Amino acid sequence: MLEKYLIVFFVSMVPLIELRGAMVYAVGFDLPIITSYIIAVIGNMLPVPFIYLFARKILVWGKDKPLIGKFFSWCLDKGEKGGQKLQAKAGKGLYYALWLFVGIPLPGTGAWTGTLAASILDMDFKKSVIAVMLGVLLAGIIMIIASSGVFGVLSAIF
């Protein structure tokens, strides 16, 4: 059981997969939902302060380097585009928009991208982390419901 919880934890830390994939795994392997949810939230939130504080600096530093430049430029571009979209749509409700951006589980809208966008937009650290945390909590609930429904239908068919 510990091994499966470790998988939930580490999967939730992986960019683009994050908590969304971890919750699908947990539901698919019939792990206790509340425990898996808490582990996935912790795993997904663990990199957030580091992303906010260091990712932008590292990406700017590496965008001109031979082996990593294209990937770092892509990451910066993705964060900038996400941040610009967020700012354009949100206006004064920027932190609410960040919460929804992270919370609605679509490809590329998780904690990593949201935190990078907040860093690029130079949003307040504490408010950004709270908005991302609320988004992660919302995404987890949505993924539990969606995964349970899909696996429920599949188990009824097969």
Side-chain angles (χ1 to χ4, degrees):
M1 183 79 84
L2 177 62
E3 181 180 305
K4 289 182 180 178
Y5 284 136
L6 285 172
I7 291 171
V8 168
F9 179 75
F10 287 116
V11 166
S12 68
M13 293 175 74
V14 176
L16 300 175
I17 299 173
E18 301 184 30
L19 170 129
R20 295 151 166 88
M23 291 315 304
V24 171
Y25 175 86
V27 171
F29 282 92
D30 205 25
L31 295 174
I33 295 298
I34 300 297
T35 307
S36 299
Y37 178 69
I38 292 168
I39 290 169
V41 167
I42 292 168
N44 202 181
M45 287 302 296
L46 192 63
V48 166
F50 300 102
I51 296 165
Y52 184 90
L53 296 171
F54 302 114
R56 181 178 180 191
K57 293 173 186 172
I58 292 169
L59 291 173
V60 168
W61 168 83
K63 72 178 182 178
D64 298 328
K65 304 297 183 250
L67 294 174
I68 56 176
K70 284 185 179 183
F71 177 70
F72 279 34
S73 294
W74 176 82
C75 290
L76 266 175
D77 186 48
K78 183 148 181 65
E80 287 173 7
K81 285 181 181 175
Q84 290 168 355
K85 279 184 187 177
L86 199 60
Q87 204 165 29
K89 290 181 180 179
K92 291 182 178 181
L94 191 56
Y95 294 98
Y96 293 112
L98 179 60
W99 168 54
L100 290 174
F101 179 81
V102 174
I104 298 178
L106 297 171
T109 63
W112 281 74
T113 307
T115 305
L116 182 58
S119 176
I120 289 172
L121 292 174
D122 203 27
M123 294 170 66
D124 179 73
F125 175 76
K126 184 177 178 182
K127 290 179 182 177
S128 297
V129 170
I130 290 169
V132 169
M133 173 75 135
L134 292 171
V136 166
L137 292 170
L138 175 62
I141 292 167
I142 291 170
M143 289 308 299
I144 288 168
I145 293 167
S147 299
S148 296
V150 168
F151 285 114
V153 167
L154 289 176
S155 68
I157 293 173
F158 300 105

